[in-house]
Coordinates of all heavy atoms in Angstrom, one line a residue:
M742 N 35.8 -23.2 58.6 CA 34.9 -22.6 57.7 C 35.7 -22.0 56.6 O 36.8 -21.4 56.8 CB 34.0 -21.6 58.4 CG 33.0 -22.2 59.4 SD 31.5 -21.4 59.4 CE 31.6 -20.5 61.0
E743 N 35.1 -22.0 55.4 CA 35.6 -21.4 54.2 C 34.8 -20.1 53.9 O 33.7 -19.9 54.4 CB 35.4 -22.3 53.0 CG 36.2 -23.6 53.1 CD 37.7 -23.5 53.2 OE1 38.2 -22.6 52.5 OE2 38.3 -24.2 54.0
T744 N 35.4 -19.2 53.1 CA 34.7 -18.0 52.7 C 34.1 -18.2 51.3 O 34.7 -18.8 50.4 CB 35.7 -16.8 52.7 OG1 36.3 -16.7 54.0 CG2 35.0 -15.5 52.4
Y745 N 32.9 -17.7 51.2 CA 32.1 -17.8 49.9 C 31.5 -16.5 49.5 O 31.1 -15.6 50.4 CB 31.0 -18.8 50.1 CG 31.5 -20.1 50.3 CD1 31.6 -20.8 51.6 CD2 31.8 -21.1 49.2 CE1 32.0 -22.1 51.9 CE2 32.2 -22.4 49.5 CZ 32.4 -22.8 50.8 OH 32.8 -24.2 51.0
V746 N 31.3 -16.3 48.2 CA 30.5 -15.2 47.7 C 29.2 -15.7 47.1 O 29.3 -16.7 46.4 CB 31.3 -14.4 46.6 CG1 30.4 -13.4 46.0 CG2 32.6 -13.8 47.2
I747 N 28.1 -15.1 47.5 CA 26.9 -15.6 47.0 C 26.2 -14.5 46.3 O 26.1 -13.3 46.7 CB 25.9 -16.0 48.2 CG1 26.5 -17.1 49.1 CG2 24.6 -16.4 47.7 CD1 27.1 -16.6 50.2
A748 N 25.9 -14.8 45.0 CA 25.0 -13.8 44.1 C 23.6 -14.1 44.3 O 23.1 -15.2 44.2 CB 25.5 -14.0 42.7
R749 N 22.8 -13.1 44.7 CA 21.3 -13.1 44.7 C 20.8 -12.0 43.8 O 20.8 -10.8 44.1 CB 20.9 -12.9 46.1 CG 21.6 -13.8 47.2 CD 21.0 -13.5 48.6 NE 21.9 -13.9 49.7 CZ 21.8 -15.1 50.2 NH1 20.9 -16.0 49.7 NH2 22.6 -15.5 51.2
R750 N 20.4 -12.4 42.6 CA 20.0 -11.5 41.5 C 18.5 -11.2 41.6 O 17.7 -12.2 41.8 CB 20.3 -12.1 40.2 CG 21.8 -12.5 40.0 CD 22.8 -11.3 40.2 NE 22.5 -10.2 39.4 CZ 23.3 -9.7 38.5 NH1 24.6 -10.1 38.3 NH2 23.0 -8.6 37.8
N751 N 18.1 -10.0 41.4 CA 16.7 -9.6 41.2 C 15.9 -10.1 42.4 O 14.8 -10.6 42.1 CB 16.2 -10.1 39.9 CG 17.0 -9.6 38.8 OD1 17.9 -10.3 38.2 ND2 16.9 -8.4 38.3
G752 N 16.3 -10.2 43.6 CA 15.7 -10.8 44.7 C 14.5 -9.9 45.4 O 13.6 -10.4 45.9
W753 N 14.7 -8.6 45.3 CA 13.7 -7.7 45.9 C 13.4 -6.5 45.1 O 14.1 -6.0 44.4 CB 14.4 -7.2 47.2 CG 14.9 -8.4 48.1 CD1 14.0 -9.1 48.9 CD2 16.1 -9.1 48.0 NE1 14.8 -10.2 49.4 CE2 16.0 -10.2 48.9 CE3 17.3 -8.8 47.3 CZ2 17.1 -11.1 49.1 CZ3 18.4 -9.7 47.6 CH2 18.2 -10.7 48.4
R754 N 12.1 -6.1 45.3 CA 11.6 -4.9 44.5 C 11.9 -3.7 45.3 O 12.0 -2.5 44.7 CB 10.2 -5.1 44.2 CG 9.8 -6.1 43.3 CD 8.3 -6.4 43.2 NE 7.9 -6.6 44.6 CZ 6.7 -7.2 44.9 NH1 5.9 -7.5 44.0 NH2 6.5 -7.5 46.1
T755 N 12.0 -3.7 46.6 CA 12.1 -2.5 47.4 C 13.2 -2.7 48.6 O 13.5 -3.8 48.9 CB 10.8 -2.1 48.1 OG1 10.5 -3.1 49.1 CG2 9.7 -2.0 47.1
A756 N 13.6 -1.6 49.0 CA 14.6 -1.6 50.2 C 13.9 -2.2 51.4 O 14.5 -3.0 52.2 CB 15.1 -0.2 50.5
D757 N 12.6 -2.0 51.6 CA 11.9 -2.6 52.7 C 11.9 -4.1 52.7 O 12.1 -4.8 53.6 CB 10.5 -2.1 52.8 CG 10.4 -0.7 53.3 OD1 11.3 -0.2 53.9 OD2 9.3 0.0 53.1
E758 N 11.7 -4.7 51.4 CA 11.7 -6.1 51.1 C 13.0 -6.7 51.5 O 13.2 -7.7 52.2 CB 11.3 -6.5 49.8 CG 9.9 -6.4 49.5 CD 9.6 -6.8 48.0 OE1 10.6 -7.2 47.3 OE2 8.5 -6.7 47.6
L759 N 14.2 -5.9 51.1 CA 15.5 -6.3 51.4 C 15.8 -6.3 52.8 O 16.4 -7.2 53.4 CB 16.4 -5.4 50.6 CG 17.9 -5.8 50.8 CD1 18.2 -7.2 50.4 CD2 18.7 -4.8 50.0
Q760 N 15.3 -5.3 53.6 CA 15.5 -5.2 55.0 C 14.8 -6.4 55.8 O 15.4 -7.0 56.7 CB 15.0 -3.9 55.6 CG 15.9 -2.7 55.2 CD 17.2 -2.9 55.8 OE1 17.4 -3.4 56.9 NE2 18.2 -2.5 55.0
E761 N 13.6 -6.8 55.2 CA 12.9 -8.0 55.8 C 13.7 -9.2 55.6 O 13.8 -10.1 56.5 CB 11.5 -8.0 55.3 CG 10.8 -9.3 55.7 CD 10.6 -9.5 57.3 OE1 10.7 -8.5 58.0 OE2 10.4 -10.6 57.6
A762 N 14.2 -9.4 54.4 CA 15.1 -10.5 54.1 C 16.3 -10.6 55.0 O 16.7 -11.6 55.5 CB 15.5 -10.5 52.6
A763 N 17.0 -9.4 55.2 CA 18.1 -9.3 56.1 C 17.7 -9.8 57.5 O 18.5 -10.4 58.2 CB 18.7 -7.9 56.1
R764 N 16.6 -9.4 58.0 CA 16.1 -9.8 59.3 C 16.0 -11.3 59.4 O 16.5 -12.0 60.3 CB 14.8 -9.1 59.6 CG 14.3 -9.3 61.0 CD 12.8 -8.8 61.2 NE 11.9 -9.7 60.5 CZ 11.5 -10.9 60.8 NH1 11.9 -11.5 61.9 NH2 10.6 -11.5 60.0
R765 N 15.3 -11.9 58.4 CA 15.2 -13.4 58.4 C 16.5 -14.1 58.3 O 16.7 -15.1 59.0 CB 14.4 -13.8 57.1 CG 12.9 -13.4 57.3 CD 12.0 -14.0 56.1 NE 12.6 -14.0 54.8 CZ 12.3 -13.1 53.9 NH1 11.6 -12.0 54.2 NH2 12.9 -13.2 52.7
S766 N 17.4 -13.5 57.5 CA 18.8 -14.1 57.4 C 19.5 -14.1 58.7 O 20.1 -15.1 59.1 CB 19.5 -13.3 56.3 OG 20.8 -13.9 56.2
T767 N 19.4 -13.0 59.5 CA 20.0 -12.9 60.7 C 19.5 -13.9 61.7 O 20.2 -14.5 62.5 CB 19.8 -11.5 61.3 OG1 20.5 -10.5 60.4 CG2 20.5 -11.3 62.7
I768 N 18.2 -14.0 61.7 CA 17.5 -15.0 62.7 C 18.0 -16.4 62.4 O 18.4 -17.2 63.3 CB 16.0 -14.9 62.6 CG1 15.5 -13.5 63.2 CG2 15.4 -16.2 63.2 CD1 14.1 -13.3 62.9
E769 N 18.0 -16.8 61.0 CA 18.4 -18.1 60.7 C 19.9 -18.4 60.9 O 20.3 -19.4 61.3 CB 18.1 -18.5 59.3 CG 16.6 -18.6 59.0 CD 15.9 -19.6 59.9 OE1 16.5 -20.6 60.2 OE2 14.8 -19.3 60.3
G770 N 20.7 -17.3 60.6 CA 22.1 -17.4 60.9 C 22.5 -17.6 62.3 O 23.4 -18.4 62.7
D771 N 21.7 -17.0 63.2 CA 21.9 -17.1 64.6 C 21.5 -18.7 65.1 O 22.0 -19.1 66.2 CB 21.1 -16.1 65.5 CG 21.5 -14.7 65.4 OD1 22.7 -14.5 64.9 OD2 20.7 -13.8 65.8
R772 N 20.7 -19.3 64.3 CA 20.4 -20.7 64.6 C 21.5 -21.7 64.1 O 21.5 -22.8 64.5 CB 19.1 -21.0 64.0 CG 17.9 -20.3 64.7 CD 16.6 -20.8 64.0 NE 15.5 -20.0 64.6 CZ 14.4 -19.7 64.1 NH1 14.1 -20.1 62.9 NH2 13.5 -19.0 64.7
M773 N 22.3 -21.2 63.1 CA 23.3 -22.0 62.5 C 24.7 -21.6 62.8 O 25.5 -21.6 61.9 CB 23.0 -22.0 61.0 CG 21.6 -22.5 60.6 SD 21.3 -22.3 58.8 CE 22.4 -23.6 58.2
T774 N 25.0 -21.1 63.9 CA 26.3 -20.5 64.2 C 27.5 -21.4 63.9 O 28.6 -20.9 63.6 CB 26.4 -20.0 65.6 OG1 26.2 -21.2 66.5 CG2 25.4 -18.8 65.8
E775 N 27.3 -22.7 63.9 CA 28.4 -23.7 63.6 C 28.6 -23.9 62.1 O 29.7 -24.4 61.7 CB 28.1 -25.0 64.3 CG 28.1 -25.0 65.8 CD 29.4 -24.5 66.4 OE1 30.5 -25.1 66.1 OE2 29.3 -23.7 67.3
D776 N 27.6 -23.5 61.3 CA 27.8 -23.7 59.9 C 27.8 -22.5 59.0 O 28.3 -22.6 57.8 CB 26.5 -24.5 59.5 CG 26.7 -26.0 59.9 OD1 27.7 -26.6 59.8 OD2 25.6 -26.6 60.3
V777 N 27.2 -21.4 59.4 CA 27.1 -20.2 58.6 C 27.3 -18.9 59.4 O 26.8 -18.8 60.5 CB 25.6 -20.2 57.9 CG1 25.5 -18.9 57.1 CG2 25.4 -21.3 57.1
R778 N 28.1 -18.0 58.7 CA 28.3 -16.8 59.4 C 28.4 -15.6 58.3 O 29.1 -15.7 57.3 CB 29.8 -16.7 60.0 CG 30.1 -15.4 60.7 CD 31.4 -15.6 61.5 NE 31.8 -14.3 62.0 CZ 33.0 -13.8 61.9 NH1 33.9 -14.5 61.3 NH2 33.2 -12.6 62.3
W779 N 27.3 -14.8 58.4 CA 27.2 -13.6 57.4 C 28.2 -12.6 57.7 O 28.2 -12.0 58.8 CB 25.8 -13.2 57.5 CG 25.4 -12.1 56.5 CD1 26.0 -11.6 55.4 CD2 24.2 -11.3 56.6 NE1 25.4 -10.6 54.9 CE2 24.2 -10.4 55.5 CE3 23.2 -11.2 57.5 CZ2 23.2 -9.5 55.4 CZ3 22.2 -10.3 57.3 CH2 22.2 -9.4 56.2
I780 N 29.0 -12.2 56.7 CA 30.1 -11.2 57.0 C 29.6 -9.8 56.5 O 29.7 -8.9 57.2 CB 31.4 -11.6 56.2 CG1 31.9 -13.0 56.6 CG2 32.5 -10.6 56.4 CD1 32.2 -13.1 58.0
R781 N 29.2 -9.7 55.2 CA 28.7 -8.4 54.6 C 28.0 -8.8 53.3 O 28.2 -9.8 52.8 CB 29.8 -7.5 54.4 CG 30.8 -7.7 53.3 CD 31.7 -6.6 53.0 NE 32.3 -6.1 54.1 CZ 33.6 -6.4 54.6 NH1 34.2 -7.3 54.0 NH2 34.1 -5.8 55.6
S782 N 27.2 -7.8 53.0 CA 26.5 -7.8 51.7 C 26.6 -6.4 50.9 O 26.6 -5.4 51.6 CB 25.0 -8.1 51.8 OG 24.8 -9.4 52.3
Y783 N 26.7 -6.5 49.7 CA 26.6 -5.3 48.8 C 25.3 -5.4 48.1 O 25.0 -6.4 47.4 CB 27.9 -5.3 47.8 CG 29.2 -5.3 48.5 CD1 29.9 -6.4 48.8 CD2 29.7 -4.0 49.0 CE1 31.1 -6.4 49.4 CE2 30.9 -4.0 49.7 CZ 31.6 -5.1 49.9 OH 32.8 -5.1 50.5
V784 N 24.6 -4.3 48.2 CA 23.3 -4.3 47.5 C 23.6 -3.7 46.2 O 24.2 -2.6 46.0 CB 22.3 -3.4 48.3 CG1 21.0 -3.3 47.5 CG2 22.1 -4.0 49.7
V785 N 23.0 -4.3 45.1 CA 23.3 -3.9 43.7 C 22.0 -3.6 43.0 O 20.9 -4.2 43.3 CB 24.0 -5.0 42.9 CG1 25.4 -5.2 43.5 CG2 23.3 -6.3 42.8
A786 N 22.0 -2.5 42.2 CA 20.8 -2.0 41.5 C 20.9 -2.9 40.2 O 21.7 -2.8 39.3 CB 20.9 -0.5 41.2
E787 N 19.7 -3.7 40.0 CA 19.6 -4.5 38.8 C 19.0 -3.7 37.7 O 18.4 -2.6 37.9 CB 18.7 -5.7 39.1 CG 19.2 -6.5 40.2 CD 20.4 -7.4 39.9 OE1 21.0 -7.3 38.7 OE2 20.8 -8.2 40.7
A788 N 19.2 -4.1 36.4 CA 18.9 -3.4 35.3 C 17.3 -3.2 35.2 O 16.9 -2.2 34.6 CB 19.3 -4.2 34.0
D789 N 16.6 -4.1 35.8 CA 15.1 -4.0 35.8 C 14.6 -3.0 36.9 O 13.4 -3.0 37.1 CB 14.5 -5.4 35.7 CG 14.7 -6.1 37.0 OD1 15.4 -5.6 38.0 OD2 14.1 -7.2 37.2
G790 N 15.5 -2.5 37.7 CA 15.1 -1.6 38.8 C 14.9 -2.4 40.2 O 14.7 -1.8 41.1
S791 N 15.1 -3.7 40.1 CA 15.0 -4.5 41.3 C 16.3 -4.4 42.1 O 17.4 -3.7 41.6 CB 14.6 -5.9 41.1 OG 15.6 -6.6 40.4
L792 N 16.3 -5.0 43.3 CA 17.7 -5.1 44.0 C 18.2 -6.5 44.1 O 17.4 -7.4 44.2 CB 17.4 -4.5 45.4 CG 16.9 -3.1 45.5 CD1 16.6 -2.7 47.0 CD2 18.0 -2.0 45.0
G793 N 19.4 -6.6 43.9 CA 20.1 -7.9 44.2 C 21.2 -7.6 45.3 O 21.4 -6.5 45.7
T794 N 21.9 -8.7 45.6 CA 22.9 -8.6 46.5 C 24.1 -9.6 46.1 O 23.9 -10.5 45.4 CB 22.6 -9.0 48.0 OG1 22.1 -10.3 48.0 CG2 21.6 -8.0 48.6
V795 N 25.3 -9.1 46.5 CA 26.5 -10.0 46.5 C 26.9 -10.1 48.0 O 27.2 -9.1 48.6 CB 27.6 -9.3 45.6 CG1 28.8 -10.2 45.7 CG2 27.1 -9.2 44.2
C796 N 26.8 -11.3 48.5 CA 27.0 -11.4 49.9 C 28.3 -12.3 50.2 O 28.7 -13.2 49.4 CB 25.9 -12.3 50.6 SG 24.3 -11.4 50.3
V797 N 29.0 -11.9 51.3 CA 30.1 -12.6 51.7 C 29.8 -13.4 52.9 O 29.3 -12.8 53.9 CB 31.4 -11.8 51.9 CG1 32.6 -12.4 52.5 CG2 31.7 -10.8 50.7
Y798 N 30.0 -14.7 52.9 CA 29.7 -15.6 54.1 C 30.9 -16.4 54.4 O 31.7 -16.8 53.4 CB 28.6 -16.5 53.7 CG 27.2 -16.0 53.8 CD1 26.7 -15.0 53.0 CD2 26.3 -16.5 54.8 CE1 25.4 -14.5 53.2 CE2 25.0 -16.1 55.0 CZ 24.6 -15.1 54.1 OH 23.3 -14.5 54.4
Q799 N 30.9 -16.8 55.6 CA 31.8 -18.0 55.9 C 30.9 -19.1 56.3 O 29.8 -18.9 56.9 CB 32.7 -17.7 57.2 CG 33.8 -16.7 56.9 CD 34.6 -16.4 58.1 OE1 34.1 -16.3 59.2 NE2 35.9 -16.3 57.8
A800 N 31.3 -20.3 55.8 CA 30.3 -21.4 56.0 C 31.1 -22.7 55.9 O 32.2 -22.8 55.5 CB 29.2 -21.5 54.9
S801 N 30.5 -23.7 56.5 CA 31.2 -25.1 56.5 C 31.1 -25.8 55.1 O 31.9 -26.6 54.8 CB 30.4 -26.0 57.5 OG 29.1 -26.1 57.3
S802 N 30.1 -25.4 54.3 CA 29.9 -25.8 52.9 C 29.0 -25.0 52.1 O 28.1 -24.3 52.7 CB 29.5 -27.3 53.0 OG 28.1 -27.3 53.4
P803 N 29.0 -25.2 50.8 CA 27.9 -24.6 50.0 C 26.5 -25.0 50.4 O 25.6 -24.3 50.3 CB 28.3 -24.9 48.6 CG 29.8 -25.1 48.6 CD 30.0 -25.8 49.9
E804 N 26.4 -26.3 50.7 CA 25.2 -26.9 51.1 C 24.6 -26.2 52.4 O 23.4 -25.9 52.6 CB 25.3 -28.4 51.4 CG 25.6 -29.2 50.1 CD 27.0 -29.1 49.7 OE1 27.9 -28.8 50.5 OE2 27.2 -29.3 48.5
A805 N 25.5 -25.8 53.3 CA 25.1 -25.1 54.6 C 24.5 -23.8 54.1 O 23.4 -23.2 54.7 CB 26.2 -24.9 55.6
I806 N 25.2 -23.1 53.2 CA 24.6 -21.8 52.6 C 23.2 -22.0 52.1 O 22.3 -21.2 52.3 CB 25.5 -21.1 51.6 CG1 26.9 -20.7 52.4 CG2 24.9 -19.9 51.0 CD1 28.0 -20.3 51.5
R807 N 23.1 -23.1 51.3 CA 21.7 -23.3 50.7 C 20.7 -23.7 51.8 O 19.6 -23.1 51.7 CB 21.9 -24.5 49.7 CG 22.6 -24.1 48.4 CD 22.6 -25.2 47.4 NE 23.6 -25.1 46.4 CZ 23.7 -24.2 45.5 NH1 22.8 -23.3 45.4 NH2 24.8 -24.2 44.7
R808 N 21.0 -24.3 52.8 CA 20.1 -24.7 53.8 C 19.7 -23.3 54.6 O 18.5 -23.1 54.8 CB 20.7 -25.6 54.9 CG 20.7 -27.1 54.4 CD 21.0 -28.0 55.6 NE 22.2 -27.7 56.4 CZ 23.4 -28.1 56.0 NH1 23.7 -28.8 55.0 NH2 24.5 -27.7 56.8
H809 N 20.6 -22.4 54.8 CA 20.4 -21.1 55.4 C 19.5 -20.3 54.5 O 18.4 -19.8 55.0 CB 21.7 -20.4 55.7 CG 21.5 -19.0 56.1 ND1 21.6 -18.0 55.1 CD2 21.3 -18.4 57.2 CE1 21.4 -16.9 55.8 NE2 21.2 -17.1 57.1
A810 N 19.7 -20.2 53.3 CA 18.9 -19.5 52.3 C 17.5 -20.1 52.2 O 16.6 -19.2 52.3 CB 19.6 -19.5 51.0
Y811 N 17.4 -21.3 52.2 CA 16.0 -22.0 52.1 C 15.2 -21.6 53.4 O 14.1 -21.2 53.4 CB 16.1 -23.5 52.0 CG 14.8 -24.1 52.0 CD1 14.1 -24.1 50.8 CD2 14.3 -24.7 53.1 CE1 12.8 -24.8 50.7 CE2 13.0 -25.4 53.1 CZ 12.3 -25.4 51.9 OH 11.1 -26.0 51.9
A812 N 15.9 -21.8 54.6 CA 15.2 -21.4 55.8 C 14.8 -20.0 55.9 O 13.8 -19.6 56.6 CB 16.1 -21.8 57.1
A813 N 15.6 -19.1 55.3 CA 15.3 -17.7 55.4 C 14.6 -17.2 54.2 O 14.3 -15.9 54.1 CB 16.7 -16.9 55.5
A814 N 14.2 -18.0 53.3 CA 13.4 -17.7 52.0 C 14.3 -16.6 51.2 O 13.7 -15.7 50.8 CB 12.0 -17.1 52.4
L815 N 15.6 -16.9 51.1 CA 16.4 -16.1 50.2 C 16.8 -16.8 48.9 O 16.9 -18.0 48.8 CB 17.7 -15.8 51.0 CG 17.6 -15.2 52.4 CD1 19.0 -15.2 53.0 CD2 17.0 -13.8 52.2
P816 N 16.8 -16.0 47.8 CA 17.3 -16.6 46.6 C 18.9 -16.9 46.7 O 19.6 -16.3 47.4 CB 17.0 -15.6 45.5 CG 17.1 -14.2 46.2 CD 16.5 -14.6 47.7
V817 N 19.2 -17.9 45.9 CA 20.6 -18.1 45.8 C 20.9 -18.5 44.3 O 20.4 -19.5 43.8 CB 21.2 -19.4 46.7 CG1 22.6 -19.7 46.2 CG2 21.0 -19.1 48.0
D818 N 21.6 -17.6 43.5 CA 21.8 -17.8 42.1 C 23.2 -18.5 41.9 O 23.4 -19.3 41.0 CB 21.7 -16.5 41.3 CG 20.3 -16.0 41.4 OD1 19.4 -16.6 40.9 OD2 20.1 -14.8 41.9
E819 N 24.1 -18.1 42.7 CA 25.5 -18.7 42.5 C 26.3 -18.6 43.8 O 26.1 -17.6 44.6 CB 26.2 -17.9 41.5 CG 27.5 -18.4 41.1 CD 28.2 -17.8 39.9 OE1 27.7 -16.7 39.5 OE2 29.2 -18.3 39.4
I820 N 27.0 -19.6 44.2 CA 27.9 -19.7 45.3 C 29.3 -20.0 44.8 O 29.5 -21.0 44.1 CB 27.5 -20.8 46.3 CG1 26.2 -20.6 46.8 CG2 28.6 -20.9 47.5 CD1 25.6 -21.7 47.7
V821 N 30.3 -19.2 45.1 CA 31.6 -19.3 44.7 C 32.6 -19.2 45.9 O 32.5 -18.3 46.6 CB 32.0 -18.2 43.7 CG1 33.4 -18.4 43.2 CG2 31.1 -18.1 42.5
A822 N 33.5 -20.1 46.0 CA 34.5 -20.2 47.0 C 35.5 -19.1 46.8 O 35.9 -18.8 45.6 CB 35.2 -21.5 47.1
V823 N 35.9 -18.3 47.8 CA 36.9 -17.3 47.7 C 38.2 -17.9 47.9 O 38.5 -18.6 48.8 CB 36.7 -16.2 48.8 CG1 37.8 -15.2 48.8 CG2 35.3 -15.5 48.6
A824 N 39.1 -17.6 46.9 CA 40.5 -18.2 46.8 C 41.5 -17.4 47.6 O 42.3 -17.8 48.3 CB 41.0 -18.4 45.5
D825 N 41.2 -16.0 47.7 CA 42.1 -15.1 48.3 C 41.5 -13.8 48.4 O 40.4 -13.5 47.8 CB 43.5 -15.0 47.6 CG 44.6 -14.4 48.3 OD1 44.4 -14.1 49.6 OD2 45.7 -14.3 47.8
T826 N 42.0 -12.8 49.2 CA 41.5 -11.5 49.4 C 42.6 -10.5 49.1 O 43.7 -10.6 49.6 CB 40.9 -11.3 50.8 OG1 39.9 -12.3 51.1 CG2 40.4 -9.9 51.0
V827 N 42.3 -9.5 48.3 CA 43.1 -8.4 48.1 C 42.4 -7.1 48.4 O 41.4 -6.8 47.9 CB 43.5 -8.3 46.5 CG1 44.5 -7.1 46.3 CG2 44.2 -9.6 46.1
V828 N 43.0 -6.4 49.3 CA 42.4 -5.1 49.7 C 43.2 -4.0 49.4 O 44.4 -3.9 49.8 CB 42.2 -5.1 51.4 CG1 41.5 -3.8 51.8 CG2 41.2 -6.3 51.8
V829 N 42.8 -3.2 48.5 CA 43.5 -2.0 48.1 C 43.1 -0.8 48.9 O 44.0 0.0 49.3 CB 43.2 -1.7 46.6 CG1 43.9 -0.4 46.1 CG2 43.6 -2.9 45.7
R830 N 41.9 -0.7 49.3 CA 41.3 0.4 50.1 C 40.1 -0.2 50.9 O 39.5 -1.1 50.4 CB 40.7 1.5 49.3 CG 41.8 2.3 48.5 CD 41.2 3.4 47.6 NE 42.2 4.1 46.7 CZ 42.5 3.5 45.6 NH1 42.0 2.5 45.1 NH2 43.5 4.1 44.8
P831 N 39.9 0.4 52.0 CA 38.8 -0.2 52.9 C 37.5 0.2 52.0 O 37.4 1.1 51.2 CB 38.8 0.6 54.1 CG 39.7 1.7 53.9 CD 40.6 1.4 52.7
D832 N 36.3 -0.6 52.4 CA 35.1 -0.2 51.8 C 34.7 1.2 52.0 O 34.9 1.7 53.2 CB 34.0 -1.2 52.3 CG 34.1 -2.6 51.8 OD1 34.8 -2.8 50.8 OD2 33.5 -3.4 52.5
P833 N 34.1 1.9 51.0 CA 33.7 3.3 51.3 C 32.4 3.3 52.2 O 31.8 2.3 52.4 CB 33.3 3.7 49.8 CG 33.0 2.5 49.1 CD 33.9 1.5 49.7
A834 N 32.3 4.5 52.9 CA 31.0 4.6 53.7 C 29.9 4.5 52.8 O 29.8 4.9 51.7 CB 31.1 5.9 54.5
P835 N 28.8 3.9 53.3 CA 27.5 3.8 52.6 C 27.0 5.2 52.3 O 27.3 6.1 53.0 CB 26.5 3.1 53.5 CG 27.4 2.4 54.5 CD 28.6 3.2 54.6
V836 N 26.3 5.3 51.2 CA 25.7 6.6 50.8 C 24.8 7.1 52.0 O 24.0 6.4 52.5 CB 24.8 6.4 49.5 CG1 24.1 7.7 49.1 CG2 25.8 6.0 48.4
G837 N 24.9 8.4 52.3 CA 24.0 8.9 53.2 C 24.6 8.7 54.7 O 24.0 9.0 55.7
A838 N 25.7 8.0 54.8 CA 26.3 7.8 56.1 C 27.1 9.0 56.7 O 27.5 9.8 56.0 CB 27.1 6.6 56.1

């Protein structure tokens, strides 16, 4: 499997909608364990007040990511293969944690 970054812009109006999308994504990912593995997502505040995400996945192909997204009713604006990883510091704790 390769590592990919997926941009999902302006996908959700509320945190509850995003949580529901995460639930669907998890269910579909559990059905596709040979093709798709969700690693993490960063929720981004879009300029219009909606929420988007930048997600890190491992997958057998970009097409597998698109199949997963379609099955989970998730937007996919862009899929980019990760060439390398540079970690300067670990991810910070989420706000309120």
Side-chain angles (χ1 to χ4, degrees):
M742 288 214 258
E743 300 294 323
T744 303
Y745 296 92
V746 174
I747 300 100
R749 305 180 197 277
R750 305 302 303 240
N751 307 98
W753 305 275
R754 291 173 303 201
T755 67
D757 288 341
E758 286 181 1
L759 180 57
Q760 287 300 318
E761 174 57 24
R764 185 189 69 75
R765 292 191 313 269
S766 179
T767 300
I768 290 168
E769 291 305 323
D771 288 347
R772 294 180 182 155
M773 302 177 69
T774 58
E775 296 297 314
D776 286 319
V777 175
R778 183 172 171 229
W779 181 15
I780 305 300
R781 73 171 45 95
S782 293
Y783 298 95
V784 178
V785 296
E787 301 286 2
D789 68 356
S791 66
L792 300 173
T794 59
V795 177
C796 304
V797 179
Y798 275 68
Q799 288 181 320
S801 59
S802 67
E804 293 76 24
I806 292 169
R807 290 186 200 289
R808 284 193 307 273
H809 169 265
Y811 179 79
L815 302 173
V817 174
D818 294 304
E819 187 174 9
I820 300 171
V821 179
V823 172
D825 200 357
T826 302
V827 177
V828 178
V829 176
R830 293 177 188 85
D832 286 344
V836 174

